[in-house]
Amino acid sequence: MPDKNDNLEQLLGGFLNEAEARRAAADIRLGEEILSEYPAPQPDARLLEEIKTKVSRSLGAAATARRRLYWVRRAVAAAAAVIIIASVLLLWPAPQQSFAGSGDVWDDAAIAGLRAEIDAVLDTMISIETDEYGFDEGADDFAEVELEELEMVATNDDFWKG
């Protein structure tokens, strides 16, 4: 297996001149030798066991909390489903006779009454003047002007482009 520092000088040669690359590689190798001569102190075995115990307790507590939350969510979902189904069944309207099935709706008097009501609503709609509500018919179409402004903002704004 090749040493990890085999091509170190060649790699550093891409960033530094040849002499500086050799010195930098030598410095890196010297640093690695010093680190291997003086390893970091290892913690006490008892301390490691205490840390492992605390971690396993906290992980166990988290797993228990997750299991409880899972069952609480399932119970809430089941209760919500029961409430929704019950409310739909209780509030479901009773079947009614269809509109086309009732014979008295299609007689001439009923149709004339419906036409009179429709004409009254139409007359009311026609009698409403736009001046009463502050509309200026001479002004430009507001929706068209606003749409043009929004298109200009969208084309000039760099926010949505990322």
Side-chain angles (χ1 to χ4, degrees):
M1 183 170 143
D3 187 21
K4 63 181 177 180
N5 293 327
D6 283 346
N7 298 327
L8 186 59
E9 289 181 25
Q10 183 181 2
L11 175 68
L12 292 173
F15 301 104
L16 306 169
N17 63 32
E18 193 174 323
E20 290 176 342
R22 269 190 250 121
R23 281 195 309 269
D27 287 343
I28 290 172
R29 288 186 187 105
L30 179 64
E32 287 180 352
E33 287 175 19
I34 292 172
L35 288 174
S36 65
E37 288 177 15
Y38 300 102
Q42 297 295 320
D44 186 28
R46 188 184 58 173
L47 177 64
L48 287 175
E49 284 301 318
E50 288 176 14
I51 292 172
K52 288 179 184 178
T53 304
K54 287 180 183 178
V55 168
S56 66
R57 268 193 234 132
S58 67
L59 290 177
T64 303
R66 276 194 308 271
R67 280 192 298 271
R68 282 188 197 136
L69 184 61
Y70 171 77
W71 287 108
V72 167
R73 284 181 182 165
R74 287 188 63 129
V76 169
V82 167
I83 290 171
I84 290 171
I85 291 172
S87 64
V88 166
L89 291 177
L90 292 176
L91 297 176
W92 195 269
Q96 297 176 353
Q97 188 177 12
S98 69
F99 184 73
S102 58
D104 61 341
V105 173
W106 297 111
D107 63 356
D108 291 335
I111 292 175
L114 286 173
R115 283 190 178 168
E117 287 181 29
I118 291 171
D119 289 338
V121 170
L122 183 60
D123 290 339
T124 304
M125 291 174 61
I126 291 172
S127 68
I128 295 175
E129 294 184 20
T130 57
D131 293 339
E132 292 178 19
Y133 297 101
F135 294 117
D136 184 11
E137 292 181 0
D140 291 337
D141 189 11
F142 177 72
E144 184 176 330
V145 171
E146 186 168 294
L147 182 61
E148 289 174 2
E149 288 179 4
L150 288 174
E151 287 175 354
M152 288 297 293
V153 168
T155 56
N156 293 334
D157 193 11
D158 291 337
F159 174 77
W160 64 274
K161 293 180 183 175

